[in-house]
């Protein structure tokens, strides 16, 4: 992360104000006065403001608009990971709260707060997730009832929990599920003989993907968004 961004985040000031502190020689990195805001701050940097050591306090929470082709794990031999999209100190300390497949796009939540993400991912909490789905074949009305009753996925002991299906057009729908089985949405549509050709997550709990975020962009969550899963 750039030094000016680090200062604005840790001190709660604008980048312009951070620039002034740098210009006034009020910032030291590893004991040396630094005036260049583009310097990269890494985990082993000791940044001081007027002699006071600065660090991120408290847990971090972000939403990312995941582009196609990025995976949600930290390491992958073949694909870029979502973590390369983050301009943050120690991105390796963050994890994804509810992964998406590589070809799925949309809302990904990232945090270093394990308890918080547990409320999203644990089946016990039944957190609702909303997906926009594009299908290869027309979607019959009766799929609404089939998904509401739960479907049997291959290799699973129990039916899926009731899912809400809203048909938007012949080959487009919104589906709301409250669990996160492996490839769940794709497998649910496969179980009724259809094929998902596009999948985009729009919402997790009450957190909606910010329309202003282009694919690959991210922002910190607001206090209100964070609070939803602290309850
Ligand atoms: N269901 C899927 O099939 N894939 C995802 O990425 C998310 C939900």
């Amino acid at each position: 992360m750039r030094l000016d961004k680090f200062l604005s985040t840790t001190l709660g000031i604008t980048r312009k104000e951070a620039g002034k502190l740098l210009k006034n020689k009020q910032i030291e990195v590893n004991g040396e006065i630094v005036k260049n805001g583009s310097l990269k701050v890494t985990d082993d940097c000791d940044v001081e403001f007027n002699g006071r050591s600065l660090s991120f306090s408290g847990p971090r929470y972000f939403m990312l608009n995941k582009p196609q082709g990025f995976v949600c794990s930290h390491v992958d031999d073949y694909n870029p990971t979502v973590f390369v999209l983050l301009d943050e100190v120690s991105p390796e300390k963050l994890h994804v709260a509810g992964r998406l497949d590589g070809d799925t796009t949309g809302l990904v939540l990232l945090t270093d707060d394990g308890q918080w993400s547990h409320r999203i991912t644990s089946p016990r909490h039944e957190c609702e997730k909303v997906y926009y789905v594009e299908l290869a074949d027309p979607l019959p009305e009766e799929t609404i009832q089939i998904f509401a009753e739960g479907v049997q996925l291959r290799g699973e002991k129990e039916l899926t929990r009731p899912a809400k299906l809203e048909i938007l057009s012949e080959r487009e729908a919104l589906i709301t599920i409250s669990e996160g089985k492996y490839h769940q949405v794709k497998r649910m549509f496969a179980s009724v003989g259809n094929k998902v050709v596009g999948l985009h997550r729009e919402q997790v709990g009450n957190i909606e993907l910010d329309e202003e975020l282009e694919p690959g962009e991210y922002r910190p969550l607001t206090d209100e968004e964070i609070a939803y899963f602290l309850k």
Side-chain angles (χ1 to χ4, degrees):
M1 178 190 279
R2 286 172 58 107
L3 179 57
D4 50 6
K5 186 175 174 203
F6 176 88
L7 294 172
S8 76
T9 310
T10 52
L11 292 169
I13 57 177
T14 64
R15 289 240 194 150
K16 203 169 163 199
E17 287 164 338
K20 277 192 197 144
L21 297 183
L22 289 160
K23 209 168 149 210
N24 293 341
K25 301 185 185 170
Q26 286 170 285
I27 303 299
E28 283 187 18
V29 178
N30 297 336
E32 306 257 337
I33 290 176
V34 175
K35 290 166 80 179
N36 181 359
S38 69
L39 182 107
K40 278 265 173 214
V41 177
T42 53
D43 213 12
D44 51 6
C45 286
D46 178 24
V47 183
E48 288 188 2
F49 163 52
N50 287 345
R52 172 160 69 94
S53 195
L54 298 178
S55 65
F56 285 108
S57 61
R60 297 179 284 168
Y61 307 89
F62 304 99
M63 74 158 70
L64 165 78
N65 185 359
K66 181 179 124 30
Q68 272 235 345
F70 285 73
V71 293
C72 285
S73 51
H74 274 283
V75 184
D76 190 280
D77 287 339
Y78 305 105
N79 305 290
T81 88
V82 292
F83 294 93
V84 303
L85 300 167
L86 307 178
D87 178 22
E88 296 299 322
V89 173
S90 309
E92 72 285 353
K93 291 189 181 148
L94 296 164
H95 61 267
V96 165
R99 292 180 180 200
L100 293 178
D101 298 335
D103 56 357
T104 303
T105 57
L107 178 60
V108 165
L109 299 174
L110 297 126
T111 183
D112 50 9
D113 181 345
Q115 264 193 345
W116 188 83
S117 59
H118 184 70
R119 295 203 181 95
I120 296 171
T121 54
S122 149
R124 206 161 55 83
H125 287 96
E126 301 190 13
C127 168
E128 289 197 333
K129 282 136 298 212
V130 183
Y131 295 86
Y132 165 77
V133 193
E134 284 173 336
L135 295 150
D137 297 312
L139 190 56
E141 267 308 294
E142 55 264 28
T143 318
I144 297 175
Q145 189 56 31
I146 296 171
F147 282 5
E149 286 168 10
V151 292
Q152 184 63 55
L153 300 180
R154 219 187 302 171
E156 301 289 343
K157 287 203 191 92
E158 288 166 9
L159 294 183
T160 53
R161 284 209 197 106
K164 269 180 258 160
L165 183 66
E166 187 187 335
I167 298 179
L168 302 174
S169 75
E170 210 182 33
R171 290 182 174 79
E172 284 172 301
L174 286 180
I175 183 169
T176 305
I177 57 174
S178 59
E179 51 195 337
K181 295 187 198 304
Y182 182 65
H183 292 330
Q184 177 155 346
V185 175
K186 291 175 186 161
R187 289 162 75 206
M188 285 178 75
F189 282 98
S191 78
V192 290
N194 213 322
K195 184 172 163 46
V196 171
V197 294
L199 189 57
H200 179 80
R201 186 155 66 193
E202 295 195 340
Q203 194 170 337
V204 173
N206 79 333
I207 303 180
E208 286 177 40
L209 179 62
D210 190 330
E211 283 176 8
E212 289 187 4
L213 293 177
E214 295 291 332
E217 290 184 343
Y218 72 103
R219 68 155 170 82
L221 294 186
T222 63
D223 289 348
E224 202 184 0
E225 288 165 337
I226 296 165
Y228 183 79
F229 292 111
L230 289 177
K231 279 179 228 154

